[in-house]
Amino acid sequence: MHQLDVDQLPRHVAIIMDGNGRWAKKRFLNRIVGHEEGANSVRAVVRSCRELGIPYLTLYAFSKENWQRPPSEVDALWHLLKKFLISELPELLDKGIRVCHIGDLEGIPDDVVRELLKVIEQTKHLDRLVVNLAVNYGGRQEIERAARLFAEDVRSGRYSPEELSGELFSSYLFTRGTPDPDLIIRTSGEYRVSNFLLWQLAYAELYITDVLWPDFREEEFLAALRDYQKRERRFGTYYDDQTPTQRCAAGSQQ
Ligand code: IPE
Ligand code: IPE
Ligand code: MG
């Protein structure tokens, strides 16, 4: 029906949800209305992943750099996140969706941290879909933190510097245990990664669309997945005898 090969879906999709402000501006509305409408796109994409059986979804909701926005917008974003966590919890529990957080809790307002921890705790046994919320997240900060934690383990004698491998380093990242993203989607037509998953995106396929995040609903998501399924994932090697979808599958097994 949606012309997707259900056996060749990405295991992990990560999304830079951008364009809420422009969506509102086009309608002469306050930017906050754009963020509110964007929350409905979050719900739509989470539902799609759950229905399709995609096991990991990471959503970039608030970057380290977003603190530089006017305090009124930052406050509204926290208020919206808290409201969203409260309203979505019943559906998350009902559909078997686990919520995790990547980023620093420190700095997030206490009442929002409480709701976030509550949702994380109450959904921690669920495994139909894992939704990682990147909140107060920065890719460079995540790598710095991992380097610091590894250095501490060297100092305490747990590891020697020579033991560091990519796999070991990954285990110090917020995303430990999660496969690297196969597909990164950015809405609103910006061709940049804005400090998102810098380590993890090494071989992710990038999909950039002009569609603004509040307009990105199921149809747009399916279009991104169809585009992904046409890609030839090579991982630096050369295949002579495989179709593109076989190569996609080879990638998600890495
Ligand atoms: C994305 O939309 C949401 C966040 C970064 C929190 P923006 O608020 O960045 O919207 P634009 O880019 O100004 O249109
Ligand atoms: C990236 O969007 C961050 C999130 C979607 C949370 P931004 O709007 O903050 O990124 P820039 O400023 O365009 O790079
Ligand atoms: Mg933006």
Side-chain angles (χ1 to χ4, degrees), residues 17-23 31 35 61-62 66 69 73 77:
M17 310 184 287
D18 197 15
N20 296 351
R22 277 162 285 170
W23 184 92
R31 292 174 60 82
H35 296 311
F62 192 91
N66 288 151
R69 295 189 181 200
E73 182 174 349
L77 283 167

Side-chain angles (χ1 to χ4, degrees), residues 12 14 16 58 60 63-65 102 134 137-146 169-170 173-175 180-181 184 186 191-204 206:
H12 182 179
I16 303 174
T58 299
Y60 203 7
S63 74
K64 286 281 182 186
E65 290 75 26
I102 62 169
Y137 173 86
R140 283 192 169 176
Q141 290 82 353
E142 179 184 38
I143 292 169
E144 286 162 14
R145 174 180 172 277
F169 192 73
S170 294
L173 297 171
F174 292 122
T175 50
D180 284 345
I184 295 199
R186 182 164 189 152
Y191 283 71
R192 52 179 175 261
V193 290
S194 302
N195 204 12
F196 189 43
L197 301 177
L198 297 182
W199 172 275
Q200 298 87 338
L201 59 68
Y203 268 101
L206 307 179

